[in-house]
Amino acid sequence: MIKLRNGETIPLEMHKVKVVQKTYLLPVRERLEAITRASNNTFLLPTREVFLDMLTDSGTNAMSDRQVAASMMADDSYAGSETFYRLKDKLKSFFGTDYFLPAHQGRACENIISETFIKEGSIVPMNYHFTTTHAHIAKRGGEIAELLIDEGFEITSDNPFKGNMCLDKLRNLIKTDGHRIPYVRMEAGTNLIGGQPFSLANLREISAICKANNIMLVLDASLLSDNLYFIKMREAEAKSMSVHQIVLEIAKQCDIIYFSARKLGSARGGGICSNNLKLIDAMKELIPLYEGFLTYGGMSTREMEALVVGLDETLELDIISQGPMMIAHMAKELIKRGIPVITPPGGLGCHLDASEFVSHIPQNEYPAGALAAALYIISGVRGMERGTMSEARQPDGTETLSSMELLRLAVPRRMMTLSQIEYAVDRIHWLYDNRHLIEGLEFFEEPKIMRFFSGRLRPLTGWQDKLVEAFERDFGENSR
Ligand code: F0G
C-alpha cells in the first residue's frame, strides 16, 4: 500500500501494462438476456458478455513479460525435455523437495493422491475443503472432517489467521478415528472461507501432531502466494524471514505438497512434490495413465517454462502483494458503504456475505447464487457463488446447507486496474441499496456431481425484470 498526502492508502500497481485485451460492457437489457441464456449460472456466461471477469483467479492471472519470453524457449519433447528438468530443478530450490510428478492441473493431483491413499471409510481432516478435493475423496468412499478453528467460520473477525486448523479438534479426531486417517490436508489461502491464511506456527503444530501419530501431512499449495504474503505481513517471527525462507519452512513440515499452477506461479498446470521416494513411487504410475508421460504430465512445455519464472516471481513481495492489496482496498471501500464482506480481507478475491446482503432469501433458494446473477445483470461483473449451490445434496436428496453463503469476486493477480475495482464497488453499492428486489433461484437442471459448474437455474419470481427497471430509473433506459 502507498500512502497519499491525505493519509489514505491505495494499492499501487507495481507493473506497467504492455498488452491489453478488449472487454465489452453490454447494456443492462442485453445482460438480462445473457444471464437468462446462461440459466442464472455465471459459469455458463460466455466472456464476450462479461465486463469484469471476477469468476476466478484460476488461469486468469496476468503473466509477466519474463514469463511470456520464457515460454518461447520451451523444449517440446515427449520424454526428457529440457523444460521438465528446468521445472524440476526450480521446484527443488523453491520447496526444497527432490521429487516432482507433473499433472495437468490441481484437481488432477487430487485425483492421484485420492486414488493412491483413500479407501472406503477413510477420513481426511482438513482446515477446510475445496470443492474438487471433497469430490475426489467422496468418489472413493472417503469423507472429510472440517477442523477449521471456530473463528474461521465467522464472517467478520480480526483473527489474522482464520485458515488455521484447530489443534484440539485434530487431537480428538485422531483419538477416536486415527486408524481411518490416511493423511491430514492443510490448504494454503483457504479458498472457500474467503482466501484465509494459516500461520506458520499453526502448520508447525499440526505437523508435530501428525508426526507423533505417524500420519502424513499433505499441503494444497495452490493459493500459497497469498498465504505467504499474509505470513510475512502478519506473523511476528516472519518479519525477519525472506519469502523464500517462509516457503522452505512451510515445505519442511509437509510430506506431500501439491498445487494448481493456474494459481501458484500464475501459469497453468500443476504437480505433486515430495522428499519421500516411497510416496512418490506409490503415485507415479498413475501419471502416465491419467496425465501424460512423467516429464510433462499433461502440461504444455510453454506453460511449464512460464511456471519456472512464475515460481521465482512468487518469492518477490512486490509481486505477491498485488492481489491481497487490491482485495484489501476493495473490502475497505465496501465496508465504508456498509456492505457486508469477509474480514479480515483474504487472498484470491473479495467475498460478499450473501447471507447478510440478501438476508431475506433462505439458503435453499441459493442467496449467493441469486446475488451473483443480480450483480451480473446490473454491472456485467461476473462473480462466483460459494455457498449452498456449491455443495452436494445428501444421499437422500436433502440440501447440504453451506456454513457460509458467499459471493466471491476474484481479483486475478495483476489483471485488474483500480478504476475497475472502483466501478465494481459503485455497482455493488447500488445493488445493496436495491437488495430488497433480489429473490431466490431454483434448479431446473441439476447435475449430480459439482452441480454449480453446469447446473441450470431460474428465478423463483419475475424479480429480475424489476431489478432492471430500477436500474434504468437511476441510470437511464437500457444504459450500461
Ligand atoms: N485446490 C485449491 C485450493 C483450489 O483453489 C483449486 C482450484 C484446486 C485445488 C483445483 O485446482 O482448478 O487447477 O484443478 N480453484 C479454482 C477456483 C477452480 O476457482 O477457486 P485446478
Side-chain angles (χ1 to χ4, degrees):
M1 291 287 190
I2 202 94
K3 202 168 180 178
L4 301 179
R5 281 178 75 181
N6 63 10
E8 286 223 14
T9 56
I10 53 165
L12 205 56
E13 292 88 343
M14 297 299 285
H15 45 260
K16 50 184 187 179
V17 177
K18 291 214 234 180
V19 177
V20 294
Q21 180 186 343
K22 188 171 165 34
T23 61
Y24 301 88
L25 182 57
L26 302 179
V28 67
R29 294 254 160 215
E30 288 180 36
R31 295 196 296 249
L32 175 60
E33 285 165 21
I35 199 72
T36 308
R37 273 193 301 277
S39 307
N40 291 281
N41 183 344
T42 53
F43 274 103
L44 302 182
L45 285 165
T47 53
R48 84 182 91 85
E49 294 173 336
V50 171
F51 173 55
L52 281 187
D53 199 354
M54 302 180 82
L55 184 75
T56 175
D57 63 335
S58 171
T60 55
N61 301 299
M63 283 207 277
S64 69
D65 50 357
R66 291 180 56 237
Q67 285 184 287
V68 175
S71 69
M72 301 311 285
M73 306 282 285
D75 174 20
D76 275 319
S77 193
Y78 189 89
S81 93
E82 276 294 297
T83 295
F84 174 73
Y85 293 108
R86 268 197 284 275
L87 178 55
K88 186 171 184 264
D89 288 350
K90 180 55 64 186
L91 285 160
K92 182 170 166 59
S93 65
F94 187 83
F95 284 127
T97 44
D98 283 334
Y99 308 107
F100 168 54
L101 300 174
H104 79 274
Q105 61 185 85
R107 71 199 67 185
C109 306
E110 292 172 340
N111 180 40
I112 284 157
I113 293 169
S114 302
E115 177 155 337
T116 309
F117 300 109
I118 302 291
K119 46 182 199 270
E120 196 74 35
S122 294
I123 302 183
V124 184
M126 46 186 76
N127 48 349
Y128 202 68
H129 76 277
F130 182 67
T131 52
T132 55
T133 325
H134 188 186
H136 279 296
I137 292 170
K139 187 164 178 269
R140 293 186 169 77
E143 48 184 285
I144 59 170
E146 312 277 30
L147 305 188
L148 186 67
I149 55 166
D150 291 343
E151 271 174 288
F153 293 103
E154 289 165 12
I155 297 287
T156 55
S157 158
D158 47 20
N159 186 327
F161 294 107
K162 279 165 80 180
N164 279 352
M165 184 180 276
C166 173
L167 306 177
D168 283 338
K169 288 183 194 171
L170 179 60
R171 285 194 197 98
N172 290 340
L173 188 72
I174 292 175
K175 241 183 241 155
T176 56
D177 289 285
H179 60 288
R180 294 171 59 195
I181 302 178
Y183 58 88
V184 171
R185 172 180 173 277
M186 284 294 278
E187 183 179 309
T190 322
N191 189 328
L192 294 191
I193 58 158
Q196 299 293 322
F198 56 67
S199 68
L200 205 47
N202 183 252
L203 187 70
R204 272 204 205 97
E205 303 214 57
I206 299 297
S207 173
I209 296 174
C210 288
K211 282 203 174 68
N213 290 280
N214 225 352
I215 297 173
M216 284 196 298
L217 179 57
V218 175
L219 174 70
D220 180 341
S222 306
L223 288 164
L224 183 67
S225 71
D226 298 334
N227 206 127
L228 287 171
Y229 172 75
F230 291 124
I231 287 178
K232 177 76 191 155
M233 301 309 284
R234 297 177 183 173
E235 197 161 359
E237 108 174 78
K239 293 272 182 292
S240 60
M241 295 168 82
S242 69
V243 177
H244 197 191
Q245 282 169 330
I246 302 172
V247 177
L248 292 171
E249 189 59 23
I250 289 176
K252 222 170 71 185
Q253 313 304 320
C254 308
D255 299 287
I256 292 176
I257 301 169
Y258 75 91
F259 59 92
S260 166
R262 301 176 64 83
K263 300 187 183 233
L264 180 64
S266 296
R268 308 278 187 285
I272 305 173
C273 298
S274 178
N275 263 327
N276 185 327
L277 188 56
K278 258 200 195 148
L279 298 178
I280 289 287
D281 280 343
M283 294 182 277
K284 196 172 168 178
E285 288 177 8
L286 297 177
I287 300 288
L289 181 63
Y290 293 137
E291 300 302 305
F293 187 64
L294 280 162
T295 57
Y296 73 94
M299 282 186 274
S300 79
T301 48
R302 288 195 177 191
E303 59 202 25
M304 291 161 78
E305 292 285 0
L307 173 56
V308 171
V309 176
L311 288 169
D312 265 341
E313 294 182 346
T314 300
L315 301 179
E316 282 183 47
L317 200 60
D318 266 350
I319 292 179
I320 59 174
S321 61
Q322 288 292 308
M325 284 193 322
M326 281 281 187
I327 293 160
H329 180 75
M330 185 169 178
K332 183 180 81 180
E333 292 302 315
L334 290 169
I335 291 165
K336 249 195 230 167
R337 293 161 176 80
I339 295 157
V341 297
I342 290 227
T343 62
L348 201 172
C350 187
H351 294 73
L352 303 184
D353 174 18
S355 57
E356 175 74 30
F357 199 115
V358 282
S359 55
H360 53 283
I361 303 180
Q363 277 192 286
N364 59 4
E365 294 176 10
Y366 314 122
L371 184 56
L375 181 61
Y376 170 76
I377 292 170
I378 63 100
S379 68
V381 173
R382 164 159 81 164
M384 187 192 290
E385 194 271 2
R386 295 278 79 157
T388 297
M389 227 179 105
S390 298
E391 300 286 345
R393 280 184 195 271
Q394 304 289 339
D396 69 359
T398 53
E399 285 283 7
T400 308
L401 301 180
S402 175
S403 36
M404 287 186 178
E405 292 290 344
L406 304 177
L407 174 57
R408 179 179 91 178
L409 299 170
V411 179
R413 296 164 191 85
R414 294 183 287 192
M415 193 266 262
M416 293 174 65
T417 62
L418 201 53
S419 54
Q420 291 175 335
I421 297 276
E422 281 175 9
Y423 166 79
V425 167
D426 180 78
R427 291 302 193 257
I428 294 165
H429 189 197
W430 181 89
L431 189 60
Y432 190 62
D433 287 343
N434 291 275
R435 61 189 182 279
H436 59 281
L437 294 173
I438 308 172
E439 290 178 50
L441 300 173
E442 66 179 350
F443 274 103
F444 64 90
E445 247 180 67
E446 187 177 341
K448 284 214 165 56
I449 296 181
M450 291 194 283
R451 60 186 183 171
F452 59 91
F453 276 132
S454 55
R456 296 188 175 275
L457 301 98
R458 60 182 156 232
L460 285 166
T461 64
W463 62 265
Q464 298 183 329
D465 294 311
K466 289 188 200 131
L467 190 66
V468 169
E469 283 158 24
F471 185 84
E472 288 185 320
R473 274 198 296 279
D474 287 354
F475 293 99
E477 201 173 309
N478 203 18
S479 83
R480 309 207 295 186

